[in-house]
Amino acid sequence: MGAEENGYFTEENSVDVVISRNTGAKSERLKQIMEVVTRKLHEAVKELEPTQEEWMDAILFLTRTGHTCTDWRQEFILLSDVLGVSMLVDAINNRKPTGASESTVLGPFHVADAPELPMGANICLDHKGEDMVISGRILGTDGRPIANAILDVWQANDEGFYDVQQQGIQPDFNLRGVFRTAEDGRYWFRAVKPRYYPIPDDGPVGQMLGALGRHPYRPAHLHYIIKAEGFETLVTHIFDPDDPYIHSDAVFGVKEGLLAEFRLTEDPARARELGFEGKFWQVEHNFVLAPAKS
Amino acid sequence: MGAEENGYFTEENSVDVVISRNTGAKSERLKQIMEVVTRKLHEAVKELEPTQEEWMDAILFLTRTGHTCTDWRQEFILLSDVLGVSMLVDAINNRKPTGASESTVLGPFHVADAPELPMGANICLDHKGEDMVISGRILGTDGRPIANAILDVWQANDEGFYDVQQQGIQPDFNLRGVFRTAEDGRYWFRAVKPRYYPIPDDGPVGQMLGALGRHPYRPAHLHYIIKAEGFETLVTHIFDPDDPYIHSDAVFGVKEGLLAEFRLTEDPARARELGFEGKFWQVEHNFVLAPAKS
């Protein structure tokens, strides 16, 4: 009998023996997933030839990662993030037509029920940080403005914290807002310049980053979800290209097309109009939505 | 700038961007491990193109697996076992010279301080099950008997449970013993015929087996650790080739060379000598140890 017939496992036939057990899988997709996962796992083991101690280290790392997961912390997502897996899944699921704005990861700090605000509102409720005005247009790939587009924005403050990380310190819904475009597709609002911040690095993933000589920082950014009828929803960021971590985002979220220009502006008359004092930052950035798939 | 220089992630360069961050890794081996793990993970994602929901299912599966691990249960080892990874690591670390007995997985039920017994002792302390006598020789690859070899044996009972799984039901150290060979390299002891048993299948790994249409059973076997000075330690099993699960061990531990012959014997005179009543099982199996690496 050959190995597949008697079912006995060898170094050579290991993948075939394992996947041959899955003929009764509940779905073809599950069978396919297990085939690829098994094959890639065995390829990794055959290439690395881990010692029994290294294998046990891997088991214990996964166990610690699992034990770090709670209702409010997801260490396996963090692991997926720092290995580039989350961004890869995002990229595969959000291939955009030419000209459309690129997506990036949602991140863990979105809040579903942020208030809808009038265009031009200041989302910074505690007036901490450097003033910033952000504006632009929501367009289709044909260049036409999109009316009734919903722009949901959220960002960290000037110390790198989201409101939900500093409850009782920051006001509720600080640096969050939902805006709706008119016929011209234009949006604008006021905020503060965000700062880079570390992903949670006091668990096994942070220890792994340390052992790899990697820092845990994400470069400064604003988050957006942009929705409009007849268009694909866009989940994205814009980034400050001058951030010290712009070329080394711990979760690989930066894309060339997501770099915005943050211009430090001295214009006392315009500052007065905006309710700002002294210099302020100006960001002008358009978003182009892909047409919805039928 | 190319992708490796600006550090920006794309579907195409994803592996290079992620591994290029590890130049400051604490060791070359860690860097190599992360390179292979990252590459194989990304290959799997690119081949499968998981939806965001499938990715989240995987995150939650790993989280449940982590949460199932306790001081006395290791669900990630179980996952490694049922995917053939444990056997592959075992195979890679125990490549034997021609003629030497093959290894298989240690399993979770070894107890370090089982009693040393006189040759011929009955390790079945509660006289439950079908009587069995096991004998053979411990030999070098040159065919010469090994004196002072230590044979550490343990097995499940006739209902498929180890003593440590049934504390208070089975006597302590039931179906365990340590034997030492004399100049002739011969060993023999009495026991009962073991039965197949399921691996723990009430957790996420059991659910996965269910979804794959796989059963959780291991075919009946006896465990051995055999040590002798000047030889490689052998961790192995012998299996009953007539077991209903012999071709589908849930953890892939069976190898051709580990099949023993279990002969049902009717020999009243021999039974009396052995202290048995009626029919009994006879197993004769030699073990061949590889010489120690220098």
Side-chain angles (χ1 to χ4, degrees):
Chain A
M1 280 202 290
E4 286 72 18
E5 295 157 59
N6 66 27
Y8 301 148
F9 183 100
T10 68
E11 225 177 296
E12 292 68 32
N13 70 14
S14 68
V15 174
D16 291 338
V17 167
V18 175
I19 67 179
S20 72
R21 298 283 179 87
N22 300 337
T23 48
K26 291 236 162 80
S27 78
E28 281 304 307
R29 177 62 173 165
L30 178 63
K31 197 192 290 183
Q32 182 194 17
I33 289 170
M34 292 311 295
E35 183 196 316
V36 174
V37 167
T38 302
R39 177 155 33 83
K40 293 301 170 187
L41 265 172
H42 286 221
E43 284 175 9
V45 170
K46 287 174 187 186
E47 185 168 347
L48 285 168
E49 301 206 339
T51 63
Q52 294 282 1
E53 291 70 30
E54 288 173 334
W55 169 83
M56 185 52 92
D57 285 346
I59 294 286
L60 294 178
F61 173 77
L62 292 170
T63 304
R64 286 194 304 275
T65 301
H67 284 168
T68 304
C69 294
T70 64
D71 285 346
W72 44 271
R73 177 153 176 180
Q74 232 309 344
E75 195 79 356
F76 276 115
I77 291 186
L78 212 57
L79 181 59
S80 168
D81 292 348
V82 302
L83 295 179
V85 171
S86 306
M87 269 303 287
L88 189 55
V89 172
D90 180 82
I92 284 167
N93 283 282
N94 293 284
R95 292 175 184 130
K96 302 289 187 189
T98 305
S101 295
E102 293 171 291
S103 68
T104 191
V105 284
L106 176 66
F109 298 118
H110 181 246
V111 165
D113 53 352
E116 186 164 337
L117 301 172
M119 211 55 94
N122 195 336
I123 60 174
C124 180
L125 306 180
D126 60 3
H127 305 289
K128 281 186 69 244
E130 299 172 33
D131 292 318
M132 183 164 77
V133 59
I134 302 133
S135 59
R137 293 204 298 165
I138 318 286
L139 305 166
T141 47
D142 57 3
R144 283 156 65 167
I146 303 176
N148 273 315
I150 308 284
L151 180 146
D152 186 347
V153 60
W154 68 105
Q155 64 164 88
N157 70 4
D158 65 320
E159 294 178 347
F161 294 104
Y162 292 85
D163 58 349
V164 291
Q165 295 176 290
Q166 291 195 313
Q167 286 177 5
I169 298 172
Q170 292 187 42
D172 288 350
F173 298 115
N174 193 35
L175 295 167
R176 296 178 186 275
V178 174
F179 299 92
R180 186 184 295 264
T181 58
E183 294 302 315
D184 59 1
R186 231 181 141 68
Y187 73 89
W188 79 278
F189 60 92
R190 291 167 294 161
V192 291
K193 191 158 186 278
R195 207 197 65 168
Y196 61 83
Y197 60 81
I199 59 170
D201 65 343
D202 58 343
V205 171
Q207 284 159 15
M208 186 186 85
L209 291 181
L212 290 171
R214 284 177 55 179
H215 68 73
Y217 292 102
R218 299 212 62 204
H221 56 274
L222 286 88
H223 289 263
Y224 294 95
I225 298 176
I226 304 176
K227 294 185 186 190
E229 217 183 300
F231 296 89
E232 267 184 46
T233 295
L234 174 65
V235 177
T236 197
H237 302 358
I238 60 168
F239 288 93
D240 175 3
D242 298 322
D243 189 279
Y245 300 108
I246 196 65
H247 296 298
S248 60
D249 183 355
V251 309
F252 306 99
V254 181
K255 294 177 179 177
E256 197 88 42
L258 307 182
L259 302 179
E261 201 186 342
F262 288 64
R263 272 183 300 126
L264 187 57
T265 307
E266 192 157 16
D267 180 343
R270 179 79 180 121
R272 260 192 306 279
E273 274 175 30
L274 291 164
F276 294 162
E277 288 172 19
K279 294 181 190 173
F280 60 94
W281 295 89
Q282 282 200 81
V283 178
E284 170 86 24
H285 196 82
N286 294 338
F287 295 98
V288 180
L289 303 191
K293 285 159 192 155
S294 53
Chain B
M1 277 200 291
E4 285 71 17
E5 294 157 58
N6 67 27
Y8 300 149
F9 183 100
T10 69
E11 226 177 295
E12 292 68 34
N13 71 14
S14 68
V15 174
D16 291 338
V17 167
V18 175
I19 66 178
S20 73
R21 297 282 179 87
N22 300 338
T23 48
K26 290 239 163 80
S27 77
E28 280 305 307
R29 177 62 173 167
L30 177 63
K31 197 191 292 182
Q32 183 196 15
I33 289 170
M34 293 310 295
E35 183 197 314
V36 173
V37 168
T38 303
R39 178 155 33 82
K40 293 301 168 185
L41 266 171
H42 286 222
E43 284 175 9
V45 169
K46 287 174 188 188
E47 185 167 348
L48 286 168
E49 300 206 342
T51 64
Q52 294 281 0
E53 291 69 29
E54 289 173 334
W55 169 82
M56 185 52 93
D57 284 347
I59 294 285
L60 295 178
F61 173 77
L62 291 170
T63 304
R64 286 195 303 276
T65 302
H67 284 168
T68 304
C69 295
T70 62
D71 285 347
W72 44 271
R73 177 154 174 177
Q74 232 309 343
E75 196 79 356
F76 276 114
I77 290 186
L78 212 57
L79 181 59
S80 168
D81 292 348
V82 303
L83 295 178
V85 171
S86 305
M87 268 305 285
L88 190 55
V89 172
D90 180 81
I92 285 167
N93 283 282
N94 293 285
R95 293 177 184 127
K96 302 289 187 188
T98 306
S101 294
E102 293 172 290
S103 67
T104 191
V105 285
L106 176 65
F109 297 118
H110 182 245
V111 165
D113 52 354
E116 187 165 334
L117 301 172
M119 210 55 94
N122 195 336
I123 61 173
C124 179
L125 306 179
D126 60 3
H127 305 288
K128 282 185 69 245
E130 299 172 34
D131 292 318
M132 184 164 75
V133 59
I134 301 135
S135 59
R137 291 205 298 165
I138 317 287
L139 304 167
T141 47
D142 57 3
R144 284 156 64 165
I146 303 176
N148 272 314
I150 308 285
L151 180 147
D152 186 348
V153 60
W154 67 106
Q155 64 164 87
N157 70 6
D158 66 319
E159 294 178 345
F161 294 104
Y162 292 86
D163 57 350
V164 292
Q165 295 176 290
Q166 291 194 313
Q167 288 177 5
I169 299 172
Q170 292 187 42
D172 288 351
F173 297 116
N174 194 33
L175 294 166
R176 297 179 185 274
V178 175
F179 299 91
R180 186 184 294 263
T181 58
E183 294 303 314
D184 59 1
R186 229 179 145 68
Y187 73 87
W188 78 278
F189 59 93
R190 290 167 295 161
V192 291
K193 191 157 186 276
R195 207 198 65 169
Y196 62 83
Y197 60 83
I199 58 169
D201 64 344
D202 58 343
V205 170
Q207 285 160 17
M208 185 185 86
L209 290 182
L212 291 172
R214 285 177 54 178
H215 69 73
Y217 294 101
R218 299 212 61 205
H221 56 274
L222 287 89
H223 289 265
Y224 294 95
I225 299 175
I226 304 176
K227 293 186 187 190
E229 216 184 299
F231 296 89
E232 267 185 44
T233 295
L234 174 65
V235 176
T236 196
H237 301 358
I238 60 169
F239 288 93
D240 174 4
D242 298 322
D243 189 279
Y245 300 109
I246 196 67
H247 297 297
S248 61
D249 182 355
V251 308
F252 305 97
V254 182
K255 295 178 180 178
E256 197 87 44
L258 307 183
L259 302 178
E261 201 187 340
F262 287 63
R263 272 183 299 128
L264 187 58
T265 307
E266 192 158 14
D267 180 343
R270 178 82 180 118
R272 261 192 305 278
E273 275 175 30
L274 291 165
F276 294 162
E277 287 173 22
K279 293 183 191 172
F280 59 95
W281 295 89
Q282 280 200 84
V283 178
E284 170 88 23
H285 197 82
N286 294 339
F287 295 99
V288 180
L289 303 191
K293 285 161 189 152
S294 54

